[in-house]
Amino acid sequence: MKILSSLPFNAKILIASALVSFASFAAEEETLPMATDADIAELTAACQQMAAEDQVEDADLPQYLLDCVNDQLTEMGYQTLTELK
């Protein structure tokens, strides 16, 4: 547990998302609901803040945001996106 407490917040989120994604792999065979536009906007804003903290390069930002939002959507039990609007 000492290792987890020393990780930055966004690393903990990514680890938790990966674990939840793995655990819910079987559930993906079912049709998952779509998140609301408001949920996606909120997740995108949170991911933009994390990108700023991580100093993500502009060229890498679109893929970073899509991956980040999709990780959160998966964790919440929603369908993932192929692109952000």
Side-chain angles (χ1 to χ4, degrees), residues 60-81:
D60 298 328
L61 187 60
Q63 188 63 50
Y64 178 97
L65 292 176
L66 180 61
D67 291 343
C68 179
V69 169
N70 278 337
D71 286 344
Q72 298 305 310
L73 290 172
T74 299
E75 183 177 322
M76 296 168 70
Y78 290 119
Q79 289 182 22
T80 57
L81 305 173

Side-chain angles (χ1 to χ4, degrees), residues 5 11 16 20 27 29 31-36 38-39 42-46 50-53 70-71 73-74 77 84:
S5 64
V20 170
E29 291 182 12
T31 302
L32 298 174
M34 290 295 297
T36 64
D39 286 337
E42 185 177 323
L43 291 173
T44 302
M50 289 191 321
E53 291 170 3
N70 278 337
D71 286 344
L73 290 172
T74 299
L84 288 173

Side-chain angles (χ1 to χ4, degrees), residues 4-40:
L4 289 178
S5 64
S6 66
L7 291 174
F9 177 71
N10 28 344
K12 291 177 188 176
I13 288 177
L14 291 176
I15 290 170
S17 296
L19 292 173
V20 170
S21 296
F22 180 76
S24 64
F25 181 72
E28 287 188 32
E29 291 182 12
E30 301 173 17
T31 302
L32 298 174
M34 290 295 297
T36 64
D37 288 343
D39 286 337
I40 294 170

